[in-house]
Amino acid sequence: MPTVTFIGPHGTKVVEAEPGETLLDLAERHDIMMGSACGGVCACSSCHCYVRQGLAALPEMSDAESDRLDMGFDVRPYSRLGCQVKVGTADLVVELTQESIRTWYDEHPQARKP
């Protein structure tokens, strides 16, 4: 079973993934701070992340993902949308973006420290 290492504001978390599962679904299942303003339907860029390792093993992004990524902040050549990336058989290392973390806090205001 492939593993995905998420790099976030509180360090790293390594989780096992089911092939075909999206990064967003995986993050939500493991309480990882990946935002999802649109609910994961490729209608925003809040689940924008950086695939630091394993990018070459992923399918090329769709036109819809590319169009939505154009709305993102600090887009890089290894940027992807968590709702569109389906885990294959290769291990991945994924860094959460500030955009995604900020959206996650907007969705979980109780998690903010006073």
Side-chain angles (χ1 to χ4, degrees):
M1 199 175 279
T3 62
V4 178
T5 302
F6 287 96
I7 303 169
H10 304 296
T12 61
K13 187 170 187 176
V14 180
V15 297
E16 288 188 346
E18 292 288 333
E21 184 173 21
T22 68
L23 291 177
L24 179 60
D25 288 341
L26 186 61
E28 288 176 345
R29 188 161 51 92
H30 291 281
D31 298 319
I32 294 166
M33 301 170 83
M34 181 176 276
S36 173
C38 75
V41 296
C42 199
C44 71
S45 61
S46 63
C47 61
H48 174 208
C49 60
Y50 303 126
V51 180
R52 294 293 190 173
Q53 290 179 14
L55 183 65
L58 298 174
E60 213 172 296
M61 75 174 70
S62 68
D63 289 341
E65 181 182 1
S66 179
D67 289 347
R68 289 297 167 234
L69 231 120
D70 284 343
M71 298 169 47
F73 299 100
D74 197 17
V75 175
R76 301 174 186 179
Y78 41 90
S79 289
R80 294 296 298 262
L81 294 180
C83 70
Q84 297 301 296
V85 173
K86 291 186 178 178
V87 176
T89 57
D91 294 343
L92 301 173
V93 176
V94 176
E95 180 182 355
L96 303 175
T97 62
Q98 289 301 311
E99 173 183 15
S100 189
I101 294 165
R102 192 171 21 253
T103 300
W104 186 89
Y105 274 118
D106 288 346
E107 296 166 340
H108 301 86
Q110 71 282 4
R112 291 188 180 135
K113 295 189 189 233

